[in-house]
Amino acid sequence: MDEARGEDGHADGNPAGESHAPAAQAPETRPAATDPDHSGAHIPPPAQKLNTAPPPNPTRAPGPTPASESASAPEPASAPESAPASGPAPDSDPTATPPTPPASPSRPRKRRILRLLAALLALLLLPLLTAETALRINYTGDPAPGTRTRHRDALWLGHAWVDGRKTDRDVKALAGRLRDTGIRDLYVHSGPLEHDGTLPPSAYAKAGWFIGAVHRELPGVRVQAWLGDVLATETPDGLRLERAATRTAVLASTRAVLDAGFQGAHFDLEPLHSGDRNYLALLDDLRALTHARGAVLSVAAHQIDPLPAFHSFWGTTTGHPKWWSQAFFGQVARRVDQIAVMSYDTLQPLQSLYGGYVAQQTSLALEATPKSTDLLMGLPFYHENRFGHWAHAETVPAAVRGVRLGLSRTDAGRARFGVALYVDFAATEADWRAYRDGWAATPPAAS
C-alpha cells in the first residue's frame, strides 16, 4: 500500500503486534406583540393614539372659502390665499414605482467569473465521469471458463510468525486453511529494514522454526522473507535508494535472510515513484544474488496508470504520484520472478467501480508482464474505512470477479498468473470463503 499500514502493512515502519421524560409544558399563549430582538420579554400593545384634529369635510376642495361662510369667519383683506400645507403635487402619481438604480458595474464581472468557474468544474468532472462509467462497463459480462487458480497464489503473513508469538498449533491451523487452495508462496513479514538498509537478525529470530514447520505441514509451499521500508521520496526520513551504501546494505540483508533458510526475498518499498532508476539497479543486483542461491525474487508493485501519464498529473497536484507508468511496470516485471500488484486502496466508492478497476489493472499488468514472470493480483483481506479505501467497496468478491474478467479479456490462458491475499491477521471467514468459491475452487465438470 501507499503508506504505513500500522502493524504489518505494506511499507510499514516498525510493526509490533497484530492486535490489529420531558418536563411539563405551560399552556401555549400567543404573544401580544412581536419581540423584535427575540429576547422573550412580553411587550404590551401600544396605546391607541387619539386624533384630536377636526374631521375633514369630504365635499370641500382646496380653494377660497365660499361667501356664505365668510360672514361667520371673516378674513382680513390683506391676508393672501395660502396653498395647502401638504398633499401631492398636481402632476405626481403616488402609486408610481420609484426608478430602479442602475446595475453595479461589478455584477457582469461576477457573472462572468461564475460562468468560468462552472466551465472549469465541468472540464474536470467530465473526464472523471467518463472514466468511472468505463469502469462500470468493465465490470459487466461473464468470466471465461477456466479462469481460476493456477496454483501460484500467495499470502502475506504478519510478523508474529517469526518473532515467537505463534506455535505449532497455529501452523497446523494455517496448514488446514491453506490446504487444497492455490497458495504456493508465503510472504512472512521479517523486517522492516533500517533506513540504512541493514536488518537485525532479531527481527526474524524464529524464522528457522517457522520455515521447518511449514515444510512439514505444507510440502511444496515456499516461505519468503517480506522486507520493506518507507522510502525518503516524499519525506526527509526513510531509506534512500540513491545511496550506493544503502543498496549494498540491502544486498547484505537479503543474503542474511537466505542464509536463515528463506527460499526467497519479497520486497515492498514505498512510496516508490515511477521511473526510479536506483530501484531498477537494486533489482538487477538482487536478481543476481537470488538466482545464484536458487532463491526467488519477488516485489510488491504499485498500480498502473489508469489513464495515460496519470501518475504525473497526480504527482503534480498532490505531491504523491501513486501510480506507475505501464512501461516502468514492465521494466520491473522483467527483473523479478514474481510481481504482486497492490490492487487495493483504489479510491473507488462502489463495488462495481472497484471490480471494474481491478479488471482494468489486470489487463494492463498482463500486457506489461513477460510470460516468464509470475503475475499476482492483490486481494483485500482487510477492512478499513479511510480516504482511498472503503471496505464496502473494496471486497474480495468484487476483486476476484475483476481479476477473472481482466484475465478473460486479455490472456485467459496465461499460466504464470495468480492472486495474492493481503493480509492473514485481518482476514475474515467471509474473505476466505470468497477466495475459495470465486477463485480457488474447481467447478464441477459438466455432465
Side-chain angles (χ1 to χ4, degrees):
M1 296 211 268
D2 299 328
E3 299 176 354
R5 182 183 291 288
E7 195 235 309
D8 289 310
H10 287 299
D12 46 359
N14 187 16
E18 313 181 358
S19 20
H20 196 126
Q25 297 180 354
E28 180 180 357
T29 59
R30 183 179 302 276
T34 303
D35 181 0
D37 61 355
H38 304 286
S39 63
H42 177 75
I43 302 178
Q48 183 176 3
K49 185 177 180 181
L50 296 180
N51 186 5
T52 58
N57 186 350
T59 61
R60 186 169 182 176
T65 303
S68 59
E69 297 181 8
S70 61
S72 59
E75 294 184 8
S78 60
E81 182 179 347
S82 61
S86 64
D91 57 347
S92 66
D93 183 359
T95 62
T97 303
T100 303
S104 170
S106 63
R107 290 183 182 177
R109 186 183 304 111
K110 291 180 179 178
R111 284 196 290 267
R112 286 195 299 270
I113 293 174
L114 291 176
R115 291 193 192 103
L116 179 60
L117 292 176
L120 291 175
L121 182 61
L123 289 175
L124 292 174
L125 290 179
L126 184 59
L128 176 63
L129 293 176
T130 302
E132 295 294 270
T133 301
L135 292 181
R136 180 62 185 88
I137 296 173
N138 215 28
Y139 195 58
T140 60
D142 296 320
T147 51
R148 301 267 181 172
T149 184
R150 275 81 164 133
H151 300 282
R152 293 177 180 272
D153 303 335
L155 170 65
W156 279 285
L157 293 175
H159 200 84
W161 295 99
V162 294
D163 68 1
R165 283 177 284 169
K166 297 292 188 179
T167 65
D168 286 332
R169 176 180 294 182
D170 296 314
V171 175
K172 288 182 179 294
L174 177 66
R177 186 180 289 283
L178 301 186
R179 197 171 287 119
D180 300 325
T181 67
I183 293 177
R184 185 182 67 163
D185 286 281
L186 301 178
Y187 306 143
V188 58
H189 192 275
S190 306
L193 296 166
E194 300 294 332
H195 289 344
D196 62 359
T198 60
L199 179 68
S202 58
Y204 51 94
K206 298 296 182 180
W209 161 81
F210 178 65
I211 295 168
V214 168
H215 290 167
R216 182 175 61 251
E217 298 292 336
L218 292 168
V221 172
R222 301 181 299 196
V223 182
Q224 300 187 41
W226 167 13
L227 306 177
D229 193 21
V230 176
L231 297 178
T233 52
E234 298 174 11
T235 60
D237 297 326
L239 189 145
R240 296 183 177 274
L241 291 177
E242 67 272 18
R243 295 176 178 172
T246 299
R247 298 197 302 272
T248 300
V250 172
L251 287 172
S253 298
T254 305
R255 190 176 296 109
V257 297
L258 295 180
D259 290 341
F262 286 103
Q263 295 163 285
H266 174 79
F267 284 89
D268 174 32
L269 303 174
E270 303 177 46
L272 183 60
H273 294 181
S274 183
D276 192 322
R277 305 302 303 178
N278 296 306
Y279 180 61
L280 297 179
L282 175 64
L283 292 180
D284 288 335
D285 294 338
L286 288 170
R287 181 180 179 86
L289 170 62
T290 53
H291 283 200
R293 302 287 294 269
V296 180
L297 174 61
S298 64
V299 296
H302 288 5
Q303 298 156 31
I304 301 174
D305 282 334
L307 298 172
F310 196 68
H311 70 278
S312 297
F313 164 77
W314 197 261
T316 301
T317 56
T318 69
H320 174 53
K322 173 183 174 69
W323 293 268
W324 287 354
S325 72
Q326 192 179 34
F328 182 70
F329 186 96
Q331 290 176 316
V332 173
R334 288 190 291 272
R335 287 170 164 82
V336 299
D337 301 303
Q338 290 179 331
I339 185 166
V341 183
M342 295 179 285
S343 42
Y344 32 76
D345 294 348
T346 63
L347 306 173
Q348 299 302 323
L350 301 174
Q351 279 197 70
S352 58
L353 298 179
Y354 172 62
Y357 183 88
V358 172
Q360 180 201 50
Q361 288 292 307
T362 302
S363 294
L364 292 171
L366 282 167
E367 292 169 357
T369 304
K371 294 183 184 296
S372 58
T373 299
D374 287 352
L375 171 62
L376 309 180
M377 301 302 298
L379 303 184
F381 271 45
Y382 64 99
H383 305 268
E384 298 177 1
N385 286 295
R386 51 179 169 73
F387 178 75
H389 178 89
W390 289 275
H392 70 273
E394 297 194 7
T395 65
V396 177
V400 167
R401 176 175 166 78
V403 167
R404 295 187 63 199
L405 287 170
L407 181 62
S408 301
R409 294 164 182 159
T410 310
D411 192 353
R414 178 75 67 102
R416 303 181 76 91
F417 184 86
V419 296
L421 289 49
Y422 180 85
V423 58
D424 74 305
F425 58 82
T428 66
E429 289 300 326
D431 295 332
W432 284 107
R433 185 167 54 253
Y435 162 68
R436 285 179 172 273
D437 295 346
W439 178 256
T442 302
S447 57

